[in-house]
Amino acid sequence: MKILFVASEIAPWVKTGGLGDVAAALPAALRAEGVDVRVLVPAYPALKQAFPDACEIARPHWLGGQLPNCGIREAHTDDGLPLWLVDFPPFYDRAGNPYSGPQGLDWPDNHLRFGLLSRVAAWIGSDVSTLDWHPDIVHCNDWQTGLAPVYLRYLPGAVAKSVVTVHNLAFQGRFARSTLAELGLPAHAWHVNGVESYGYLSFLKGALKHCDWITTVSPSYAREIQTDVEGMGLAGLLRQRTGELTGILNGIDLDAWNPATDPFIARNYDAAHLAAKAADKAALQLEMGLEDRTDLPLLGIVGRLTHQKGLDLVTEIAESLLAFPAQIVVLGSGEKTFEVAYRELAQRLPDQCAVRIGFDEGLAHRIEAGADMFLMPSRFEPCGLNQMYSLRYGTPPIVRATGGLADTVTDAIDEKIGNGFVFAAANPAALLAAIQRAVDAWHEPKRWRRLQKNGMACNLGWTGPARQYAELYEQIVDA
Ligand code: ADP
Ligand code: GLC
């Protein structure tokens, strides 16, 4: 089985969120299952620096519309995973993150940047490819790769089938109608059964319509996105394809996120040596300028500061929360209003609340290890990785019952298997009540240990999910 895995980011080189983690870990796990995988990503500066010797192996040309000729370079990760880099410096050699410039504004030519990524994927999956490796399936991820199934459908010579994984339905890649020709798509693709979506050209809609199979990153999210409330305008289409839509829960990288070996944290520990975790708490308090208090529970937050993550619910109840009393550390970046609200909170209550705005991989690990409990009150959460990192680090998560959070966290009310705290309503009162329950449990050390150990015993690796993907690939190719 040959799979071309296409993504717009890949950890550790280029990562803005969970997609980057998945694009690194899932292909590696698939290889371990005997699947022949290549990962196709844009040749961002970080990747070119990491792999200066990557050789050009092909030059796709005549791609249509305003899509430029480009190169494909080949590199290998330390573990031997082949990376194919789409090389066109005017598109990818830019400061900022993959999607936006240093000022936080989306690049105005994102349709061409990710249109090219999608188009090259389709080129590799068609009979015009000059490469000597031909994928059975092009596996796309999110809107940035969404036109690959569309090109495979509309252009001649398609050989590969396609799978699209939805990591987040909120981002659909919608552009003006005029981009249709720029992207080299035929006029008849502008259709409700094509790429048109509410008057825009939508990469994701096109993907969902034209791929052979749709997956998403948890069973609960697979159900939720078929409802009008959570379907973000695409529920009808997803319901039509319900027989070709599977939720496969993400795993986590058990080596990168292992408290027993994690090089980022002050003191390593495992389930049998949980007392050592106290040193990580003390180190985190020191690093973040919080009072060194062992008698207060320390809550951690890491993530994008956006409406999705429900982190405005936390600032709304912050005063009551800290009056428990408790401490809180926050690491994140995102919408300015959220950043301001958290900064103000830290200024008002500096002994109890510490906030770091920015992206810091090491600090994310130290928060997972040093916090007593982890907060994830998401309004929606396709899968969520941080709650799984928390489980692995003996830092029980407090989560809203949605998407992958609901599929991975079991409420402490079930003493046998409970590993965290779950609440239903997306409002401040429900969140506060869940935190109150967690703080109460934290004050009962025996009960708390049990919760921690239940979480640490969960099977969270990629082996199971990779097997599910491998079986799905077989089924699609056989169909
Ligand atoms: P999403 O992809 O929606 O942002 P996930 O929970 O799936 O949410 O994944 C987020 C990933 O990004 C995790 O690996 C998390 O540790 C990381 N992350 C998010 N924000 C930051 C940050 N400010 N600094 C470091 N890592 C971060
Ligand atoms: C998205 C989702 C997140 C998921 C991640 C990886 O960014 O918001 O819930 O864990 O993708 O699949």
Side-chain angles (χ1 to χ4, degrees), residues 73-85:
R73 290 179 179 276
E74 183 176 60
H76 289 91
T77 66
D78 289 345
D79 300 333
L81 176 70
L83 295 182
W84 283 0
L85 311 176

Side-chain angles (χ1 to χ4, degrees), residues 9 11 15-22 167-168 171 217 250 257 301-306 308-309 330-334 356-365 368 374 376 378 380-389 405:
E9 47 185 271
K15 162 175 160 182
T16 69
L19 173 62
D21 288 325
V22 174
H167 296 263
N168 196 329
F171 303 110
V217 289
N250 285 333
W257 294 90
I301 292 179
V302 178
R304 293 183 290 117
L305 303 179
T306 61
Q308 174 191 341
K309 302 289 175 182
V330 182
L331 166 64
S333 62
R356 182 79 56 82
I357 302 296
F359 200 93
D360 185 336
E361 186 77 24
L363 183 55
H365 286 245
E368 293 292 2
F374 194 87
M376 238 170 134
S378 307
F380 68 94
E381 195 61 76
C383 179
L385 299 176
N386 275 307
Q387 83 282 9
M388 293 197 263
Y389 300 151
L405 299 176

Side-chain angles (χ1 to χ4, degrees), residues 174-192:
R174 299 213 286 179
F175 300 94
R177 178 176 185 166
S178 56
T179 60
L180 186 79
E182 293 176 36
L183 289 161
L185 286 168
H188 63 269
W190 185 263
H191 191 273
V192 64

Side-chain angles (χ1 to χ4, degrees), residues 62-109:
W62 297 116
L63 297 178
Q66 294 179 13
L67 297 174
N69 298 346
C70 60
I72 300 176
R73 290 179 179 276
E74 183 176 60
H76 289 91
T77 66
D78 289 345
D79 300 333
L81 176 70
L83 295 182
W84 283 0
L85 311 176
V86 179
D87 194 17
F88 185 65
F91 276 4
Y92 306 124
D93 202 349
R94 299 181 186 179
N97 77 28
Y99 318 114
S100 48
Q103 309 304 325
L105 295 176
D106 282 355
W107 298 112
D109 56 353

Side-chain angles (χ1 to χ4, degrees), residues 63-226:
L63 297 178
Q66 294 179 13
L67 297 174
N69 298 346
C70 60
I72 300 176
R73 290 179 179 276
E74 183 176 60
H76 289 91
T77 66
D78 289 345
D79 300 333
L81 176 70
L83 295 182
W84 283 0
L85 311 176
V86 179
D87 194 17
F88 185 65
F91 276 4
Y92 306 124
D93 202 349
R94 299 181 186 179
N97 77 28
Y99 318 114
S100 48
Q103 309 304 325
L105 295 176
D106 282 355
W107 298 112
D109 56 353
N110 271 349
H111 60 293
L112 292 174
R113 298 174 70 237
F114 296 111
L116 182 64
L117 175 63
S118 303
R119 182 67 185 84
V120 171
W123 184 87
I124 297 172
S126 72
D127 62 11
V128 297
S129 167
T130 55
L131 292 157
D132 55 11
W133 181 92
H134 302 282
D136 297 300
I137 293 177
V138 175
H139 185 158
C140 304
N141 293 276
D142 274 356
W143 76 263
Q144 294 87 353
T145 58
L147 287 190
V150 177
Y151 288 123
L152 284 170
R153 189 65 63 92
Y154 287 108
L155 301 178
V159 182
K161 297 198 168 173
S162 62
V163 172
V164 171
T165 296
V166 178
H167 296 263
N168 196 329
L169 202 64
F171 303 110
Q172 299 184 2
R174 299 213 286 179
F175 300 94
R177 178 176 185 166
S178 56
T179 60
L180 186 79
E182 293 176 36
L183 289 161
L185 286 168
H188 63 269
W190 185 263
H191 191 273
V192 64
N193 289 319
V195 295
E196 190 271 341
S197 179
Y198 303 96
Y200 290 90
L201 180 152
S202 164
F203 276 50
L204 189 64
K205 150 87 186 265
L208 299 178
K209 199 78 206 173
H210 297 98
C211 66
D212 292 285
W213 205 277
I214 302 167
T215 76
T216 186
V217 289
S218 68
S220 287
Y221 195 58
R223 285 190 297 275
E224 290 163 5
I225 56 178
Q226 297 181 61

